[in-house]
Structures are given as structure tokens and as C-alpha cells.
Amino acid sequence: MTLKTHLMALDPNNKQATLLAKHCGYARVARNHALSEFKAGLDRDEFLSDMDLRKRFNAVKDERYPWCRELSQNASKNGICNLGDAVKRWISKQNRFPRYKNRSGRSSYQADNGAGTVKVEKKRVNLPKIGWVRMREKLRWRGEIRRCVVSKRAGRWFLSVLVKVVSDSAPRVRSPRGPVRVVGVDVGIKTLAVTSDGVEFENPKALYRYLRKLRRAQRQLSRSVYRSRNWYRKQVRVQQIHYRICCLREDAHHKASTAIVKSADVLGIESLRVAGLLKNRRLAKALSDASLSGFLTMLRYKAEARGVEIIEAPLNFPSSKTCSACGKKKTKLSLSERTYHCEACGAVLDRDLNAAYNLRNLAASLTERENGCGATISPHSRHTSCVSEARRIETATTTDKRTGQLRIDLSRGS
Ligand SMILES: [Zn+2]
């Protein structure tokens, strides 16, 4: 059993969009009301649980907030539950004391009560008190719906559905035939990722592409009257540009990480401490734009889902400074040197490719399982029924001297 979420765009009509906004407002009002009750309780040395807070809110809501009758009560209930969680985090010192929410913050509400009130079929969802709302795509996972959260981002409505997936397919095991494919991945700013197979993935540099538009929109926002009708319109424009940047970046990351994970059985990656690198003010903008930690996280979870082993190099592993051909380590290597020249053995190759080779060699040295012929074989091939087939492939494999990659020569097999 696993829990999976699917975030998708909603396509509400005008009436529905207004109702969605009202529900978000209701969740916020309920939360703020409960927070002031909770604070008053603390002053009296009384600790109110979220159950108490909900009771107190329900006792006064019809009188103080008469407009809430046309809305689903799940919004207020879950709003107060969220406050309860925030209080728990404050008590366990994970977070600061909860604060009031205002209109300009992120608006969202939880639409279900955990009892199957929300129904999803094909490309539409039935939300309580709103009715059938169109979705831009079908729900990706099948199973019991655990939670539905509606949120607004850059003027668009989204639905996040948490599904308990029952019959989830087991992670893919390595292909029983053929050698283990060990791939090293070097991530960077210049190119997003370079694999030891020689495949390069472009960095979309989404922020740089939109920097001019963003500047213009932000300037227009700051020059309009605060909280005027025009100001809200300009604010949405800025949000839209940020959203577009984010989409471009995520799209590139998803495509690259999926392609890399599909091409490997064992992945060698580096572990980055981006927080330390961000202190360099010349690199900070480009680094944040590349969002390398996010990319590595993506690689990790996709590898786990597909049963690909991940080997992380230690934090100070000199993947760029070491020569992948002879193993000599340079003491100094500036960022502007895009080509690696080795003084010891004379190897000349691309800097990122050199780093990818080093990461692959590290991963291979930690997972190597050699057979009598010296070729690396998959551990699964020994246990399959087609042992002879595996042996045929093993004898036909040769190691490429230049790249160190395993090659299968099918003509040599018997
Ligand atoms: Zn060398």
C-alpha cells in the first residue's frame, strides 16, 4: 500500500470559481477565529484542543458568519484541524507559533471529510456544495481517495488528490539478461546533467529567459496603488510569470530524470550542499535557477520507484578534480575551465563528462560483482532459468577501453 498524490488543474466556470474562493475564505476565517480563541485560552492558562476550538466555532458561526450556510462545513473543520497541527508543531519546537492568515496569502481548503464525500470520475470531480467541476486531466492513480485539497496559484485553480493505491506494481527489477548498466550523473549549471553515457541534458535557465518580463511586471506592480483593483491584476501577472518559470524548470527536470533513470540499473550521483554554495553571490542566482537539489530529489524518488540502485558520492568527493583515466587529483580547478587537461596522463576531455565518469567509476566499484570472465553481471541473471543465455551474453561482452563501458558483441555468441 502506498499513498500517491496527483496535482491537476481544475477548469471551473465563473460561479464555481466564486464558490471555490468563498470556501478558501471560510477556511481562513475559521482558522483565524480558532487561533484567537486559542490565544485567549493560553492567557487564561487553558489549553484548548482542536476539538474544543471546533465546538466553540460551531457555537457562534451561524450568528457571526451567516454567509457560511451555503458552504461546505468541511472547509472550516479542516481549517481548524490544520491549526491544531500547527500548534502541535509549535509545542514540539518544529515551528514557530502559528500566525493569522490574510487574503494575500496562499488560498486553499480541504474539500473532503475523509468519508468519501468527494467523487472523481473521468475528467470531473464532485465537490460538496459546488457540484461537478471539470478537471484538465484524469486522475492518474486508482484506489481509495484519502484527501482532496483545492488551491489557487497564479489565478488558476488546482486540485491535489491523495490516493491510497492498493495494487501497486512492484518496483521493476533489473533486466535479468545483460550486464548491469552503471551510469554516473554529473549535475551542474552550464548543462543540467551529463551522464557517463555521454548524454547531455540542457539547463532550461527558465529564470534568465523570463527575467526581463519579470522585472517589467514587478515594476508595474510596485507603481500601482497598493491593494487597488489594478494592483491585484498586476499581482496576478507577476505570479503567472513565476508559475511559468517553475513549469519550464520542472518539465526539463522531469524529462531528464526519467530518461536517466530508465537508462541505468545503478546510478552514481553526487551529494550537494547547495546552501553553502548559495553564499557565493556570483553563483547564487544561476544556482537557484537550476534548482539542483530539486533535481537530485527527483532522481532519487524515481530511482526508488523503478528499483534502480542509487549510490551517492560522499560530500567532498572530488568528482571534477580527479582524472577519470589515471586517477590523479588536481589541487586547483577553476570554474571557467570547461575542458579537463590531465598533466599526468595527457587525457583531454569535457569537464562535466570527466566528473560523470568518476561518479560512475565510484558507483561501479561499490557494486561490482565480477564473474570468471571479468565481466560485470547482473546478480539476477544467476537465478533465472535462462542461465545459458546469460552466459552467452557474458562471454560476448567486451569493455570499451576509452569509455570503460560494457559492450555486447552478439556476433561472437554461440
Ligand atoms: Zn590523467
Side-chain angles (χ1 to χ4, degrees):
M1 193 275 289
T2 38
L3 293 170
K4 291 188 167 182
T5 44
H6 188 182
L7 177 74
M8 59 204 136
L10 286 177
D11 200 1
N13 59 31
N14 278 346
K15 271 187 189 167
Q16 290 171 338
T18 311
L19 273 172
L20 289 174
K22 278 184 184 173
H23 276 93
C24 290
Y26 185 32
R28 190 190 69 237
V29 163
R31 186 189 183 280
N32 286 345
H33 181 98
L35 180 56
S36 56
E37 287 267 3
F38 180 72
K39 277 183 167 175
L42 283 185
D43 291 341
R44 297 191 303 270
D45 282 335
E46 186 188 1
F47 185 85
L48 296 165
S49 70
D50 45 347
M51 231 8 206
D52 303 330
L53 292 170
R54 245 166 65 200
K55 274 182 197 153
R56 280 162 186 251
F57 177 75
N58 286 340
V60 297
K61 68 176 181 192
D62 285 341
E63 197 185 320
R64 282 191 65 180
Y65 312 109
W67 41 265
C68 79
R69 284 194 202 116
E70 60 160 344
L71 304 176
S72 161
Q73 297 310 311
N74 295 337
S76 66
K77 180 193 149 194
N78 292 315
I80 297 173
C81 280
N82 289 346
L83 176 71
D85 292 342
V87 168
K88 271 177 211 136
R89 284 195 294 273
W90 168 63
I91 290 167
S92 63
K93 296 209 166 95
Q94 288 173 325
N95 219 336
R96 63 183 172 204
F97 191 79
R99 292 195 289 189
Y100 291 109
K101 291 197 171 193
N102 60 21
R103 277 164 196 241
S104 58
R106 179 179 179 271
S107 44
S108 73
Y109 83 99
Q110 191 178 327
D112 65 321
N113 57 2
T117 37
V118 171
K119 283 181 200 71
V120 177
E121 58 166 58
K122 289 178 184 167
K123 280 166 88 172
R124 58 180 196 161
V125 57
N126 197 347
L127 297 170
K129 298 272 183 178
I130 296 175
W132 290 103
V133 181
R134 278 176 297 172
M135 305 191 295
R136 281 293 168 93
E137 54 190 310
K138 283 184 191 168
L139 185 62
R140 200 179 295 149
W141 320 115
R142 282 189 178 193
E144 183 196 326
I145 294 173
R146 281 290 185 86
R147 193 193 298 150
C148 281
V149 176
V150 177
S151 59
K152 194 182 189 186
R153 189 173 174 192
R156 287 180 82 186
W157 289 98
F158 292 88
L159 178 72
S160 160
V161 188
L162 180 73
V163 182
K164 182 179 154 195
V165 184
V166 189
S167 59
D168 192 23
S169 57
R172 180 201 65 139
V173 288
R174 283 176 196 163
S175 58
R177 298 170 184 190
V180 181
R181 297 169 301 168
V182 185
V183 175
V185 185
D186 177 64
V187 295
I189 296 172
K190 194 99 179 171
T191 41
L192 178 66
V194 177
T195 70
S196 54
D197 297 341
V199 186
E200 287 187 6
F201 295 94
E202 281 303 307
N203 180 359
K205 291 185 184 162
L207 178 66
Y208 272 89
R209 254 205 253 172
Y210 277 87
L211 211 51
R212 269 172 64 104
K213 276 192 180 166
L214 193 59
R215 263 190 203 135
R216 203 174 125 87
Q218 279 170 336
R219 193 167 54 228
Q220 286 180 347
L221 174 68
S222 75
R223 284 179 186 172
S224 48
V225 177
Y226 184 56
R227 286 194 174 170
S228 62
R229 193 169 261 248
N230 201 27
W231 185 84
Y232 281 110
R233 257 201 347 246
K234 296 276 155 61
Q235 193 191 31
V236 169
R237 181 73 197 125
V238 173
Q239 288 169 350
Q240 278 170 346
I241 297 173
H242 277 299
Y243 176 66
R244 178 96 193 104
I245 292 168
C246 181
C247 288
L248 276 174
R249 186 184 292 139
E250 284 210 326
D251 178 58
H253 285 187
H254 274 301
K255 280 174 181 163
S257 55
T258 302
I260 291 170
V261 170
K262 273 186 180 173
S263 74
D265 297 314
V266 178
L267 268 183
I269 59 172
E270 49 198 325
S271 31
L272 290 177
R273 270 247 312 275
V274 179
L277 293 170
L278 279 178
K279 283 182 188 153
N280 182 338
R281 62 196 173 96
R282 287 173 190 229
L283 282 178
K285 196 189 280 174
L287 256 178
S288 320
D289 189 14
S291 175
L292 296 179
S293 318
F295 181 61
L296 287 179
T297 309
M298 226 177 236
L299 269 180
R300 278 188 211 108
Y301 83 72
K302 285 188 183 177
E304 196 188 338
R306 291 183 71 93
V308 172
E309 200 177 334
I310 279 227
I311 291 172
E312 276 187 56
L315 250 182
N316 47 5
F317 179 70
S319 60
S320 294
K321 285 178 185 165
T322 312
C323 170
S324 59
C326 69
K328 194 157 183 341
K329 195 185 139 189
K330 282 192 181 193
T331 45
K332 237 182 149 183
L333 184 74
S334 79
L335 269 175
S336 55
E337 283 176 53
R338 300 311 308 170
T339 315
Y340 188 91
H341 295 274
C342 179
E343 290 116 10
C345 70
V348 177
L349 72 168
D350 181 71
R351 173 206 177 93
D352 296 336
L353 197 59
N354 180 49
Y357 285 160
N358 282 324
L359 288 164
R360 184 210 45 207
N361 295 346
L362 180 82
S365 68
L366 292 175
T367 49
E368 216 152 66
R369 298 160 186 102
E370 279 188 336
N371 68 358
C373 311
T376 318
I377 58 160
S378 154
H380 298 283
S381 64
R382 288 176 218 143
H383 309 300
T384 50
S385 54
C386 50
V387 175
S388 61
E389 175 68 11
R391 199 169 292 146
R392 188 180 71 83
I393 291 173
E394 280 158 32
T395 49
T397 48
T398 47
T399 312
D400 189 306
K401 288 223 168 50
R402 192 175 53 84
T403 59
Q405 208 180 323
L406 287 166
R407 285 201 174 157
I408 306 167
D409 181 10
L410 286 171
S411 60
R412 267 175 57 192
S414 52

